[in-house]
Amino acid sequence: MTPGRCRVAAIAGGVELVACLAAVPAAGAAQQAGVAVHGIAYDSLRGGPLDGAIVSITGIGRTTVADRRGRFQIDSVPPGTYTFVMNHDAVDSLGLPAVSSRLMVTDGRAEIRLAIPSFGAFWSAGCARPAPRDSILVYGAVRRAGDLAPVAGAKVELAWIDLGVKGRRQVTQQVQTLSVTTDANGSYGFCGVPKGAGLRVRASTDRTASGVVDLPPNPDRVRWRALTVGPLVSLDSTQVGTIAGVVMRGSTPFANARVVMDEVPEVRTDDQGRFTLYNVPGGTRQVQVLGVGMDAVTRTVDVVVNSRTDIVVNMERVTTLAAARVTGTAFIRHMAEGLAERRKSSFGVFLDSTDFVGQGTTRTAFESVAGLKVTPYGRNYFLVLKEGALNDCAANVFIDGVRQMDQEQLWSLNPGDIKAVEIYKRSSTVPPEYQVLRSTCGSVAVWTRRTFP
């Protein structure tokens, strides 16, 4: 048995997989009228079998499903050369139409192997330099909303927060951004993105844009995200679409759920769980659905101009986690001890991660906290401490012990990133760690799961 070939094409930093691995039996075996072809469906990227993979043979109408070990069998296949095609959710998640290979069937004794390529195969196809340790590849394509035509020359921006520790106590953080331009096929790719980071991606041209889309952390070393761009509403307010949907909990409609987007006003579901969002800019957009006692659900929707896009959202109850014991580094222990000491005082208001459960964005999470309000400022926001109409002031914000000069990084966090919050409404109650020279306003300290894993 000799290994089949895997054909992978690189496109301007992006990756396009055309065909994948298979095994070809040796020539010269005895021919039969029909043989049982058996093989394995495998994910080389994640290192495991593909339970439920659908395997078919093009042209002869034979299809089967792989078992939990990834093994499959197709009976009564006449000897000859065929194209084997494998489909699976893991294949779809990588933006691939299918994994396929053309091979020869002789006596049926050789095992066929259909596999998603490894990280090394992806990296070699899309990136010129060696892969750094603990890095990932992010790639995708940009299409025009409506006709899905590829958009060449679009700017794609990727951002994440990079946190570090300097010495024993000082936390450093920086918003990292990368930018690439799509090629003639609308493809893009980012090499060397840190593994485990929460990512945000957006595509734009001079006259079109997508929304900002979150890529939550996961263990995969290859991430794919297709984006569609629609006309900028600021240039033509008629170039909008509609999102209509229904929110369910099991088989029961979920009433009074909050449906939140950055681009349009919030709405709530009716008694039948239905909602409609009007005047939504075209392109890839992100919708969050929030319900009391339920996990927040985030959906990415491709909105078509002058059309309605329908979605169904299923809610599930919040899973309560057991309490965890802090056992981290000396730095983490020092931060935890300081937080515990400040909790003993009566000067501040203290929140933990459970207070942010069910919130779709950091903005809506802080809007629900008594004594705080969120004020728009240009394309961003300011966190304001409410002390009466004449005494409201912009809070001094700290994230993981580092003072934030413009609050931009606060709004790039997801509610699920937040581990604890300290709120000191008056300057006279602010502990020394959060005092700002010549400031007459209070402080808000946010601790994330990057500091308290």
Side-chain angles (χ1 to χ4, degrees), residues 115-388:
I116 294 174
S118 65
F119 171 72
F122 276 98
W123 186 273
S124 297
C127 305
R129 56 189 174 88
R133 180 178 295 181
D134 293 331
S135 64
I136 69 172
L137 167 69
V138 180
Y139 77 104
V142 178
R143 301 283 185 260
R144 190 168 58 205
D147 61 6
L148 299 182
V151 180
K155 180 181 181 181
V156 183
E157 299 168 284
L158 188 73
W160 68 93
I161 295 178
D162 193 9
L163 292 176
V165 178
K166 183 178 181 180
R168 289 177 56 86
R169 300 187 179 185
Q170 183 178 356
V171 180
T172 62
Q173 61 180 316
Q174 186 176 3
V175 176
Q176 301 286 358
T177 59
L178 295 175
S179 177
V180 296
T181 302
T182 58
D183 67 3
N185 297 307
S187 300
Y188 72 88
F190 294 95
C191 300
V193 178
K195 183 180 179 181
L199 308 173
R200 287 188 160 188
V201 62
R202 178 179 184 266
S204 63
T205 68
D206 290 341
R207 302 186 65 84
T208 64
S210 72
V212 176
V213 176
D214 291 321
L215 299 179
N218 76 28
D220 292 346
R221 297 194 69 185
V222 176
R223 306 290 300 276
W224 172 81
R225 178 71 256 177
L227 298 167
T228 60
V229 292
L232 295 175
V233 175
S234 59
L235 299 177
D236 186 349
S237 61
T238 67
Q239 298 298 298
V240 294
T242 301
I243 299 176
V246 60
V247 178
M248 306 289 292
R249 184 190 169 204
S251 59
T252 304
F254 194 96
N256 205 37
R258 300 168 58 197
V259 184
V260 180
M261 286 187 67
D262 287 337
E263 295 87 353
V264 297
E266 173 183 319
V267 300
R268 291 182 180 259
T269 57
D270 63 16
D271 292 342
Q272 300 301 312
R274 297 171 300 194
F275 68 90
T276 304
L277 294 165
Y278 297 100
N279 300 320
V280 181
T284 303
R285 305 291 162 181
Q286 190 163 274
V287 180
Q288 278 120 2
V289 181
L290 319 169
V292 177
M294 299 291 159
D295 277 323
V297 178
T298 300
R299 292 287 301 272
T300 301
V301 183
D302 290 322
V303 179
V304 179
V305 172
N306 298 321
S307 295
R308 191 179 91 168
T309 304
D310 294 296
I311 63 174
V312 176
V313 178
N314 292 300
M315 306 291 285
E316 294 184 2
R317 282 200 173 277
V318 173
T319 301
T320 303
L321 302 178
R325 180 182 176 189
V326 177
T327 58
T329 64
F331 169 79
I332 294 175
R333 287 196 299 272
H334 175 82
M335 294 293 102
E337 289 166 0
L339 177 59
E341 285 297 318
R342 291 189 295 275
R343 279 182 181 271
K344 295 178 182 178
S345 73
S346 58
F347 297 119
V349 176
F350 296 86
L351 309 173
D352 59 31
S353 57
T354 60
D355 293 293
F356 294 88
V357 169
Q359 299 292 340
T361 67
T362 301
R363 173 174 60 84
T364 58
F366 278 108
E367 285 176 338
S368 66
V369 177
L372 296 180
K373 69 178 180 181
V374 179
T375 301
Y377 181 78
R379 297 183 61 186
N380 219 317
Y381 306 95
F382 261 106
L383 189 61
V384 174
L385 292 169
K386 295 190 292 186
E387 292 295 335

Side-chain angles (χ1 to χ4, degrees), residues 96 107 123 190 229 272 296 327 369-370 391 423-424 441 448:
L96 308 177
D107 59 7
W123 186 273
F190 294 95
V229 292
Q272 300 301 312
T327 58
V369 177
N391 297 314
I423 303 170
Y424 303 94
C441 197
T448 74

Side-chain angles (χ1 to χ4, degrees), residues 29-174:
Q31 301 290 303
Q32 299 180 20
V35 298
V37 175
H38 57 93
I40 183 170
Y42 193 77
D43 187 346
S44 302
L45 182 62
R46 301 172 182 91
L50 289 174
D51 182 6
I54 299 173
V55 179
S56 60
I57 304 177
T58 301
I60 64 172
R62 303 290 175 80
T63 300
T64 191
V65 178
D67 63 19
R68 61 183 179 83
R69 299 177 300 165
R71 298 195 173 276
F72 63 87
Q73 179 173 311
I74 302 178
D75 295 324
S76 304
V77 179
T81 301
Y82 301 97
T83 298
F84 286 73
V85 179
M86 178 179 72
N87 289 280
H88 191 271
D89 288 345
V91 177
D92 296 340
S93 71
L94 294 168
L96 308 177
V99 168
S100 63
S101 186
R102 190 164 178 81
L103 57 93
M104 182 185 298
V105 174
T106 55
D107 59 7
R109 288 184 291 179
E111 182 177 81
I112 297 169
R113 182 181 172 90
L114 297 172
I116 294 174
S118 65
F119 171 72
F122 276 98
W123 186 273
S124 297
C127 305
R129 56 189 174 88
R133 180 178 295 181
D134 293 331
S135 64
I136 69 172
L137 167 69
V138 180
Y139 77 104
V142 178
R143 301 283 185 260
R144 190 168 58 205
D147 61 6
L148 299 182
V151 180
K155 180 181 181 181
V156 183
E157 299 168 284
L158 188 73
W160 68 93
I161 295 178
D162 193 9
L163 292 176
V165 178
K166 183 178 181 180
R168 289 177 56 86
R169 300 187 179 185
Q170 183 178 356
V171 180
T172 62
Q173 61 180 316
Q174 186 176 3

